[in-house]
Amino acid sequence: MNWILLVIAGLFEIAFAFCLGKTKDTTGAEMYWWYVGFLICATTSFLLLIYSIRSLPIGTAYAVWTGIGAVGTVLIGILIFKEPANFWRIFFISTLIISIVGLKAVAK
């Protein structure tokens, strides 16, 4: 169950990064709504991380959480914000995914 909460926390980390990205493209009231979304997603992400580390090793949980956030944020950047997707970016994101799966596999 705690692994599921950790993955959900990582998804909320992606969401708060997305909200920050949207604030660059907006002004006025719309920008403030993206900041509200950021605060909600960040708070939810951190609370789920705190809850999940009660029974998971902190080093593994934190690495998986940040890894999910990093991979997801790069993918959001490529797919939504039209950031470049060159060979090396994809290569290193792939190695990060492999590392996250490896950490999960060796965690007790």
Side-chain angles (χ1 to χ4, degrees):
M1 178 65 176
N2 287 315
W3 282 106
I4 294 169
L5 293 177
L6 185 61
V7 169
I8 295 169
L11 295 175
F12 273 101
E13 184 181 7
I14 296 166
F16 78 67
F18 173 76
C19 290
L20 280 180
K22 291 299 283 184
T23 62
K24 293 187 328 181
D25 302 330
T26 57
T27 58
E30 184 180 359
M31 179 184 66
Y32 291 111
W33 282 113
W34 285 112
Y35 281 129
V36 169
F38 163 79
L39 290 173
I40 292 168
C41 291
T43 302
T44 304
S45 181
F46 282 110
L47 288 174
L48 289 171
L49 175 64
I50 289 166
Y51 187 79
S52 68
I53 63 171
R54 290 182 179 172
S55 67
L56 298 174
I58 182 67
T60 301
Y62 185 75
V64 169
W65 178 72
T66 57
I68 291 169
V71 169
T73 302
V74 169
L75 292 176
I76 291 291
I78 291 169
L79 298 172
I80 295 177
F81 295 115
K82 306 302 181 205
E83 294 176 0
N86 60 39
F87 170 79
W88 289 112
R89 257 184 125 183
I90 302 302
F91 173 78
F92 287 117
I93 287 298
S94 299
T95 61
L96 187 53
I97 293 168
I98 292 166
S99 298
I100 292 168
V101 171
L103 282 172
K104 165 67 169 95
V106 299
K108 295 181 179 182

